[in-house]
Amino acid sequence: MVADFNVAKSPKDIAFYASLLAAAFPICQMMTIMYWSRLSDRIGRRPVLMIGLLGYLVSFLMFGICRSFYWALFARCINGLLAGNVAVIKSVFAEISDDTNRPRMMALLPLMWNLGSVGGAAIGGIFADPTHQYPRIFGHMEIFRVFPYLLPCLIDCSITVFGLVMGIFKMEETLVREPASRTMDIRMSLTSPSSSTSTLATESTQLLTEPVQPKQRSMRELLTPTVVRVMATNVVMGLGVAMSDQAYPIFAASDLSDGGLGFAARGIGFSLAVSGVAVMYLQLVAYPKLERKYGALD
């Protein structure tokens, strides 16, 4: 895709511009993810998730019809700015699980992320430029000739639309609002003078219930030693995964003369699809066993 934009001066510069496209999403996501998380505490998890899916849908369409590198970069930035789902979905899983099933449920998050990353790349490689890869089926469709990368984006959009429909009609809000109550007993004594004595009248007890908002902890209070260690581990893991995810497609697409594998787009897609099988086994089978044996933090 970057090669078709004619922005790289040489084939070796393609990796640089491809890395810019890849980095645009996490950088923009990092800028807004805390705001999406706080917003979900105020309006609920479900609305924020729906906004994120709608942002994915719009940005996928923008990416599919881009004709220049900077338009594609803009679409990736929009995708990252609206991607608050990553943090909010973890809160949803924590709220609907308990100690008996939380490890297995949390294992589903990286599983879905890795399958989405591998599956999305596979869909992109297999269905990119369909008029040349599958001329008998798509050769007469002018729209895919003008926008050669629209078809994989439309497939991703259909998956996103399915998620939107399921979220709107099937998903229930998981954020439970149970404000604390403050009870006050008010006894009012009324004294009315008479000719000889004073009469004491006591009004019945009145129960007043006022919601008490939970105190928002500062970032310094949230960064406990355990949280810092988990964050550092996540940074290292994310760095390794990102390097692998971005390096392999570039390596596979590079010419043999440049030290690459010389794969076409469809070959890269199929190779990534095969790796998804290994990811599924590790996340569904291996990780839960290791967690039960050694614990989550050991």
Side-chain angles (χ1 to χ4, degrees), residues 53-95:
L53 288 175
L54 186 62
Y56 285 154
L57 180 63
V58 174
S59 59
F60 286 159
L61 289 175
M62 294 173 58
F63 196 76
I65 62 175
C66 63
R67 301 294 300 275
S68 68
F69 172 79
Y70 296 103
W71 179 255
L73 185 64
F74 176 72
R76 289 281 294 171
C77 290
I78 294 297
N79 194 355
L81 291 173
L82 297 177
N85 299 28
V86 176
V88 177
I89 197 65
K90 294 180 180 178
S91 300
V92 172
F93 271 51
E95 291 164 350

Side-chain angles (χ1 to χ4, degrees), residues 266-293:
R266 184 163 53 177
I268 297 174
F270 279 122
S271 63
L272 290 172
V274 172
S275 67
V277 178
V279 171
M280 184 178 299
Y281 171 79
L282 290 174
Q283 294 294 337
L284 285 180
V285 180
Y287 169 75
K289 290 183 178 180
L290 292 175
E291 197 281 334
R292 285 193 297 268
K293 184 175 181 180

Side-chain angles (χ1 to χ4, degrees), residues 31-46:
M31 295 168 57
T32 60
I33 194 167
M34 293 297 295
Y35 297 100
W36 288 117
S37 300
R38 289 187 177 272
L39 182 63
S40 72
D41 290 334
R42 294 171 51 192
I43 67 175
R45 316 297 188 203
R46 184 170 173 268

Side-chain angles (χ1 to χ4, degrees), residues 191-194 196-200:
T191 303
S192 57
S194 61
S196 58
T197 59
S198 297
T199 305
L200 181 63

Side-chain angles (χ1 to χ4, degrees), residues 225-241 296-297:
T226 299
V227 171
V228 172
R229 288 196 296 268
V230 173
M231 291 176 60
T233 303
N234 200 32
V235 168
V236 175
M237 291 176 58
L239 180 63
V241 170
L297 298 178

Side-chain angles (χ1 to χ4, degrees), residues 10-15 247 250-263:
S10 66
K12 295 183 179 180
D13 292 334
I14 294 177
I250 296 173
F251 168 68
S254 300
D255 294 333
L256 294 174
S257 59
D258 295 327
L261 298 177
F263 284 1

